Amino acid sequence: MKGQETDTEPPLEPYPDEPLIGHLRASIRHAARVLAVLMVLVIWWGVADVVYVLYSRVSVHPYYLLEISDILATFGAFMAVLIAIEVFVNIVSYLQEDGLHLDIVLATAYMAVLRKIVILDYKEISPDYVYATAALALALSIGYWLTRSLQRAQLTPHDH
């Protein structure tokens, strides 16, 4: 019928099929590949830092004895490498599926907050900072749990 609109138009795609957008998306994917290579270098640099921190802590008098501050510095170095590995996983996830997975991003953020909690000097910071950090850790853990629960619910067949 003339004058009536139909619902047969195709939905708009998020990226129009135009050459400039295609070139820009390819450029971004190349940038992500470069970031992945650089992140691997950062990870190996971080591993070398862990070795250096351990060596420097056990090679001073008293030899092979670590104090609590030495252990916390070592934990901080380890966790920094683990966070770098999580960032690498985020980059690879983006390259493989052209998008980030919320659970991986939340896990990375949670690791970063936990690293901060481990290395905090509680004698030097205010109680408000401790409460804010605790609230952030709780919010990230709840967000991660909700994301994973939603993913499991979508994968499990529902028989009602």
Side-chain angles (χ1 to χ4, degrees), residues 76-95:
F78 268 97
M79 291 188 78
V81 173
L82 291 175
I83 292 166
I85 292 170
E86 290 291 331
V87 171
F88 175 77
V89 169
N90 285 337
I91 294 168
V92 169
S93 170
Y94 172 78
L95 286 171

Side-chain angles (χ1 to χ4, degrees), residues 16-93:
D17 189 23
E18 102 179 34
L20 176 62
I21 298 298
H23 290 300
L24 293 175
R25 291 185 74 205
S27 174
I28 290 172
R29 292 188 63 78
H30 289 301
R33 288 181 184 102
V34 170
L35 287 174
V37 170
L38 292 174
M39 189 52 63
V40 170
L41 295 174
V42 167
I43 290 167
W44 280 110
W45 195 341
V47 170
D49 183 57
V50 169
V51 171
Y52 174 75
V53 167
L54 278 173
Y55 176 76
S56 66
R57 303 295 173 150
V58 299
S59 64
V60 296
H61 188 69
Y63 298 108
Y64 304 109
L65 193 61
L66 294 175
E67 295 180 6
I68 295 297
S69 62
D70 299 331
I71 293 171
L72 290 178
T74 305
F75 282 170
F78 268 97
M79 291 188 78
V81 173
L82 291 175
I83 292 166
I85 292 170
E86 290 291 331
V87 171
F88 175 77
V89 169
N90 285 337
I91 294 168
V92 169
S93 170

